[in-house]
Amino acid sequence: MAVGSRAAVWLASAAQRFGSVPWRDISAEAVDRTLLVIKAVCFAHVINSYVVSLIQVRGPSMLPTMNLTGDIIAVDRVTARRGTVAVGDVVLFRSPENPRRAITKRVLGLEGDAITYLVDPHKGDASKTVVVPNGHAWVQGDNIYDSRDSRHFGPVPYGLIQGRVFYRVWPPEGFGFIGQKATSL
Amino acid sequence: MRTGNSLWLLTKKALTGALIGVTISDRYVTLSPVRGSSMHPTFTGSSTSFPGSLKGDVVLVERFCLQKYKFSHGDVIIFRSPTNQKQMFVKRLIALPGDWIQVPESSEILQIQEGHCWVEGDNPASSLDSRSFGPDSLCMLSEPNLIHSVYCQPVLM
């Protein structure tokens, strides 16, 4: 009997503590916090897609402009949407061979330009000239010896270009603008 | 002073609503009017001017497929034109990378490369699609953020 009444007393006090918790305030605050998180996520998404975003790039195809091992660069999304990409800009675009990869190369020609390129720099001087069709751009890596670019997959449609690389953020020694010419750090 | 305050609040709410709306429309689902007659009778287009475009079909477009880039034969997709980046097309996906197809009305056989696809409109008489982008410039499956599956048909008539 003592056990039963002790349990009853404990249950009663638990129920009282449960009732005294300010549930309405807690739920209001939870909703507020969730809304704040949602707003922050939406804000981050809009900035990332429409204004500027930070990307990490890796690989040898843009040496000496960009390092072999991871640089973090700032990509401006406004220029690509407005269609004002110029020759000499380094752009970030979706790979025509694999839609889930984004790559960075330099634009060497826009629609209507005639591009002369070395077919295979390892094997001599044979070159070809091609005219870039409407709505496309010709991209090449700064390191033509080790870069898979328009010489392999052809000119890239403007719609695939996601942004223009304009600044390097990391590593700190390389902090600065990425210009129109292939330069080292 | 009080009207200034309420105006500021209104602006803040409008901005927040716009941010959330843009995010949802970019990542999850969006509405889009259909123009032109290349997908007749599946979708009936309308004229391009503003009051006219309300009379055509409006479609619900879902963007979840962009996470994995997995499409099926027969999906109707919206994509950016390879020749004019400001124009969007609605067509049906006929062949995926790796498929072999025979180009309609000619005896050419080609294989769709990686990252590309073949699209055709349901109304072949008036459709600018993969047959006219040329046998080499197939519609790029990799058109960024632009391929969405048209999920449900006329929302507004």
Side-chain angles (χ1 to χ4, degrees), chain A:
Chain A
M1 277 303 110
V3 174
S5 68
R6 206 175 290 174
V9 163
W10 180 84
L11 266 178
S13 75
Q16 196 184 34
R17 269 177 284 141
F18 189 82
S20 67
V21 169
W23 289 112
R24 191 163 294 171
D25 292 339
I26 290 183
S27 65
E29 201 175 326
V31 167
D32 254 347
R33 298 270 170 96
T34 319
L35 273 181
L36 190 66
V37 168
I38 292 181
K39 284 187 227 173
V41 165
C42 293
F43 183 71
H45 167 89
V46 168
I47 296 283
N48 196 39
S49 314
Y50 293 92
V51 183
V52 72
S53 63
L54 291 176
I55 309 268
Q56 187 191 28
V57 289
R58 256 173 306 176
S61 63
M62 285 294 291
L63 287 171
T65 313
M66 297 205 229
N67 284 323
L68 181 61
T69 52
D71 276 2
I72 298 187
I73 50 172
V75 173
D76 130 49
R77 305 261 188 183
V78 178
T79 339
R81 270 182 202 269
R82 284 180 46 202
T84 51
V85 175
V87 173
D89 282 346
V90 179
V91 293
L92 177 80
F93 58 97
R94 200 169 287 250
S95 160
E97 298 170 317
N98 181 357
R100 300 168 71 179
R101 277 189 60 210
I103 46 189
T104 47
K105 299 278 183 274
R106 196 177 291 273
V107 171
L108 288 191
L110 296 174
E111 59 191 3
D113 292 347
I115 306 279
T116 309
Y117 63 96
L118 290 173
V119 174
D120 192 353
H122 292 286
K123 295 197 190 119
D125 278 337
S127 68
K128 262 209 250 186
T129 306
V130 75
V131 175
V132 181
N134 268 344
H136 289 62
W138 186 270
V139 292
Q140 262 180 231
D142 285 345
N143 179 14
I144 53 171
Y145 296 96
D146 197 356
S147 155
R148 198 166 166 78
D149 46 38
S150 282
R151 295 168 299 159
H152 307 97
F153 48 68
V156 165
Y158 276 147
L160 289 181
I161 296 182
Q162 293 182 320
R164 180 181 68 101
V165 174
F166 69 105
Y167 212 80
R168 191 203 332 265
V169 174
W170 189 270
E173 307 86 57
F175 199 84
F177 284 102
I178 295 198
Q180 306 278 65
K181 289 206 172 83
T183 49
S184 22
L185 282 180

